[in-house]
Each structure stands twice: as structure tokens, then as C-alpha cells.
Amino acid sequence: MDSREFRRRGKEMVDYIADYLDGIEGRPVYPDVEPGYLRALIPTTAPQEPETYEDIIRDIEKIIMPGVTHWHSPYFFAYFPTASSYPAMLADMLCGAIGCIGFSWGSASEATLVALLAARTKMIRQLQAASPELTQAALMEKLVAYTSDQAHSSVERAGLIGGVKIKAIPSDGNYSMRAAALREALERDKAAGLIPFFVVVTLGTTSCCSFDNLLEVGPICNQEGVWLHIDAAYAGSAFICPEFRYLLNGVEFADSFNFNPHKWLLVNFDCSAMWVKKRTDLTEAFNMDPVYLRHSHQDSGLITDYRHWQIPLGRRFRSLKMWFVFRMYGVKGLQAYIRKHVKLSHEFESLVRQDPRFEICTEVILGLVCFRLKGSNQLNETLLQRINSAKKIHLVPCRLRDKFVLRFAVCSRTVESAHVQLAWEHIRDLASSVLRAEKE
């Protein structure tokens, strides 16, 4: 493909993408195919001779699209939002053309791991400075990190990769980690000869969008000399709105903070932002300086060399997408987008509360509503199975203590009140069917 054909095909692809997004509401939100369906549709080997662009495009609709879950459908209410906007798509095109090996974080999961590894290195060096006879292996056996029992599984995975113990702190009635429970665990472990070194506070948990009590937990971490990391992967975007900034109170106690613009800030996947209070805590943990990567400005103080701040050496030019989105939407446009989603979630909450067969399970703060039919877990599992089998809308569940709960997350950039209303009517109709079947 030369530049002349690229110009033509590029325009065709933009038209295809625009048509796809304009018509996404008419596509089944969830695929109606079985795993492995592609095997019968594609050759077992790559073609020996080039194929035409027209054949490839034709196969997108014939082969690829039937197996796609349409995350940007206004009837997609599962998980959390995955951001999308036309400015970010344009920037993604330019990013691919420039091909720059940038340096930034890829996900909240990686940010947690980076923070944990930096905290581990910092604590080991402090202890060895005081007691040089201590080996790294001996100290590693005693290091312990903490997080809420509502935290994302990626925190536990970070502990596995980092080779340290991770302990879950029981959350309170609002699914929030509180000071008393954390303090009890710290004192118990210190008495047993363990070394607390790392705490993850979640602001907006994946299960129910609960918030750990940062104002309580933060001072304890600072008093104990324990690294405090904030995971605000979803909720962090909402902090651009002044009315939600109270949820960030206590951030001054944190050593590191992360959120994902690719979830709720109209920046296409993937894009994750991380801040650290003291950069040397990262650079001392990850600094590798082979001769072939040295440059004349590295000791000048004029630039920040982010390759020393992370695990991979290089990444895509993600900041370009943010730059496009921020400039083309402006702060007011992004705030309006967040507020619209929050308003729609409260609209859905209101609809649920009007039906006495259902219950709201947690406080609705941002764009997530946790709800269920009053009754057994089996009843709600059956309802969710009916919802997702119908493929008109898509939901996923969570477990809150011993309850099976349905999650309704406002996700799509194009979702409107009408979609929420239709989704609720669909859920109500299926609930009536499930309840009738239970009585028979």
C-alpha cells in the first residue's frame, strides 16, 4: 500500500468507523456465536499471495463482527465504561503514524505493581541501612501489604508477582476500609515479626464503587512509614467535577495515585495516568542505564526520563490522545459528560426504587447502580442469565458479602435516558417472567 492508496483507504475506513458507531444501537450488544466459531470461517494458514483490501473489509462484517461484544453500544451496561471519542480516534491514527516509543503507564493494574515494587525496594534498603547483616531474601519473607476485601484482583496479583504477602482488610457496612480494621491488622502482624510496607486504598471499587476511608487510613500509613497507593481507576475521572472532589479528601497522605482516562474520560483504550510523590522512590527501584540508552540531557535536569519509572522500557504515545481530547472537549465538556452519566445512573436508581420487587444494594455515588430482586441468589442468577441470553442489553454481576448482585453501569458515550428506560422495562419484563416461573 503506497501513500496514494492509503489516502483512499483511510477515508473509506473513517467512513466505515463512522457508519459503525452511528448504527451501533441496531447491532446485538452481545454476540450470538459459540466459542471457536472462527475456526470454520478462516483458513488454517496465511495466504501465499496478497489478498485485496475489499475482501478483507468484506470479511470484517462476515467473520469478525458476529463475534464482537459492542462495548460502545448504548445498551452496554456491564463492567465500567471504556472511553471512546472521535478526537481520541484521530489521535490514535497520528500516534500510529509517528510510531513514537513513549513512556507512561498502561493500566491501573500495572501502576499498582510499579508502586508495590518501588515500596518493596524502599523498605528493604531502609532496613538494610539500619541492619546490614539482613539479606533481601530474609526481609522479603516478612514483608506484608494490605488492601480492602473489596479491592480489584489485580492488587493480589501484584503481590504474587512481587513475591510478598497481601492481606485483605475486612470492609465495613458500606464496603469501605476503615482505620480500626487496618490498625488491628498492622499491630497483629508487627507482633508476629512481620513488616508492613504497602497499603492500597481503592476509590471506586469495581464491585460496587465503594470508597475506602482515605482520611482515616492515610494518617496511619504516614505514621507507620508505610507506602500508600490510591487506585482510582474508574472514579478518578469524576474528580474533575468539583462536586465529587470531596471523595479525594486525604490524597495528601498518598505516595502514589492512579486513574484510567480510558475508562471515563473519553480517551480510547489504553491510557492510564500515575502520579508519585517522590520520583526517586521509583527511579531508584527501576533505574537501568546501559550505554546504548544514554543521552546528553540525562543529567541536565531539563527532562524527565520516564524509562526509569516503570517496568517496560517504552510504550505508545498515549499522551497524544489525552492532548487531543482535552483540547477538543475542554474541561467543561468533560465535566458535562461525567455529570450526564451520573444523572442517568440516578435515573435508573429511581426506577428500581419504584418497583417493590427490587432493592438497591449500595449507595449510588457515580455511574454504577448495584441492585437485585428481593429473594434468593438463585433467583437473581436466573434473572441475569435471562437478561444476557436475550442479548438486548448486557450486565455483569458482583458478590457483596453473601449476596449475588446485578451491576448496572452507565458506559456508552452515546447512552441517553431513552436507553436507560428501555433497559429497565426489559429487566422488569424478564423479572416478571422469572418470578412467575418460580411460583409455578
Side-chain angles (χ1 to χ4, degrees):
M1 182 180 290
D2 58 19
S3 63
R4 181 180 301 174
E5 186 180 4
F6 176 73
R7 290 176 192 273
R8 181 161 64 96
R9 300 307 188 186
K11 292 170 184 175
E12 291 173 2
M13 182 58 75
V14 168
D15 286 340
Y16 177 85
I17 292 170
D19 290 343
Y20 164 71
L21 292 173
D22 285 346
I24 197 170
E25 186 173 340
R27 294 178 183 260
V29 64
Y30 198 72
D32 190 18
V33 295
E34 294 299 321
Y37 84 99
L38 272 175
R39 287 195 181 94
L41 299 177
I42 59 176
T44 56
T45 60
Q48 293 295 317
E49 300 295 332
E51 297 185 358
T52 67
Y53 182 80
E54 286 81 6
D55 286 342
I56 297 169
I57 291 296
R58 206 161 27 242
D59 283 347
I60 291 176
E61 285 295 334
K62 179 182 175 183
I63 297 175
I64 304 301
M65 284 299 181
V68 170
T69 298
H70 298 285
W71 283 64
H72 300 301
S73 167
Y75 296 114
F76 185 92
F77 300 105
Y79 308 105
F80 275 135
T82 177
S84 174
S85 68
Y86 292 117
M89 293 180 211
L90 292 173
D92 238 351
M93 290 176 63
L94 181 57
C95 176
I98 295 173
C100 174
I101 305 299
F103 301 98
S104 61
W105 287 268
S107 69
S109 303
E110 186 180 331
T112 300
L113 175 60
V114 166
L116 181 143
L117 294 176
R120 186 189 72 180
T121 299
K122 182 178 182 180
M123 180 61 74
I124 288 174
R125 287 179 176 174
Q126 286 177 351
L127 294 170
Q128 288 181 325
S131 304
E133 73 280 3
L134 294 174
T135 66
Q136 179 170 326
L139 292 172
M140 286 277 289
E141 291 181 353
K142 296 184 177 182
L143 292 178
V144 59
Y146 306 85
T147 192
S148 163
D149 59 9
Q150 299 299 311
H152 193 271
S153 59
S154 62
V155 180
E156 183 178 0
R157 180 177 293 180
L160 289 172
I161 296 172
V164 297
K165 301 176 184 68
I166 292 275
K167 295 196 175 183
I169 304 300
S171 54
D172 68 5
N174 293 317
Y175 307 100
S176 172
M177 179 167 60
R178 303 293 300 275
L182 177 62
R183 174 67 76 184
E184 180 182 346
L186 291 171
E187 295 302 329
R188 183 174 58 246
D189 287 344
K190 287 193 295 182
L194 297 176
I195 304 170
F197 81 103
F198 187 67
V199 171
V200 178
V201 160
T202 305
L203 301 182
T205 59
T206 300
S207 57
C208 63
C209 199
S210 59
F211 290 77
D212 291 336
N213 196 313
L214 183 56
L215 276 173
E216 288 186 1
V217 170
I220 293 176
C221 293
N222 284 190
Q223 293 161 15
E224 296 289 334
V226 171
W227 184 299
L228 175 60
H229 176 69
I230 297 176
D231 177 3
Y234 163 66
S237 297
F239 302 152
I240 67 170
C241 299
E243 65 268 31
F244 299 125
R245 212 160 288 155
Y246 74 95
L247 297 166
L248 195 57
N249 287 347
V251 68
E252 65 273 14
F253 297 111
D255 294 281
S256 52
F257 173 91
N258 172 261
F259 87 106
N260 286 348
H262 70 233
K263 275 193 168 66
W264 208 15
L265 212 58
L266 292 169
V267 179
N268 291 34
F269 186 85
D270 60 343
C271 182
S272 190
M274 181 180 179
W275 287 261
V276 64
K277 181 173 286 184
K278 189 177 179 184
R279 68 170 65 184
T280 55
D281 289 338
L282 290 190
T283 57
E284 289 177 3
F286 299 110
N287 194 346
M288 298 292 289
D289 201 23
V291 65
Y292 51 81
L293 290 177
R294 293 176 187 167
H295 52 84
S296 59
H297 295 295
Q298 65 183 44
D299 299 318
S300 68
L302 297 175
I303 64 170
T304 301
D305 202 337
Y306 287 108
R307 64 189 168 95
H308 300 315
W309 290 48
Q310 58 184 13
I311 299 168
L313 177 63
R315 292 193 173 277
R316 296 177 65 228
F317 194 179
R318 294 183 179 92
S319 59
L320 189 66
K321 293 186 288 188
M322 296 182 70
W323 188 63
F324 266 62
V325 170
F326 290 177
R327 293 189 67 183
M328 294 193 73
Y329 277 89
V331 173
K332 290 182 178 179
L334 294 171
Q335 289 173 333
Y337 173 70
I338 297 290
R339 287 166 179 152
K340 174 186 172 184
H341 274 203
V342 175
K343 181 180 178 182
L344 290 174
S345 73
H346 284 295
E347 179 180 342
F348 184 81
E349 176 194 17
S350 176
L351 293 169
V352 175
R353 290 191 184 278
Q354 292 169 33
D355 190 325
R357 302 174 300 173
F358 287 86
E359 61 182 339
I360 296 292
C361 302
T362 57
E363 181 185 2
V364 178
I365 300 176
L366 298 177
L368 176 67
V369 182
C370 291
F371 71 107
R372 70 194 303 272
L373 276 170
K374 295 174 181 176
S376 68
N377 284 344
Q378 183 58 55
L379 187 69
N380 284 278
E381 289 179 29
T382 301
L383 174 58
L384 181 64
Q385 189 273 330
R386 294 278 187 90
I387 290 169
N388 287 335
S389 293
K391 296 182 170 62
K392 289 187 177 180
I393 65 173
H394 187 42
L395 303 182
V396 293
C398 69
R399 280 198 177 269
L400 297 177
R401 305 289 188 250
D402 59 345
K403 287 187 175 182
F404 184 90
V405 174
L406 280 64
R407 297 169 73 263
F408 186 94
V410 181
C411 293
S412 172
R413 175 177 53 85
T414 60
V415 66
E416 300 289 348
S417 174
H419 301 115
V420 172
Q421 298 279 344
L422 285 170
W424 173 239
E425 287 303 316
H426 180 58
I427 293 168
R428 287 189 65 202
D429 290 345
L430 292 176
S432 297
S433 174
V434 169
L435 290 170
R436 278 196 305 269
E438 186 187 42
K439 291 178 181 179
E440 293 173 354

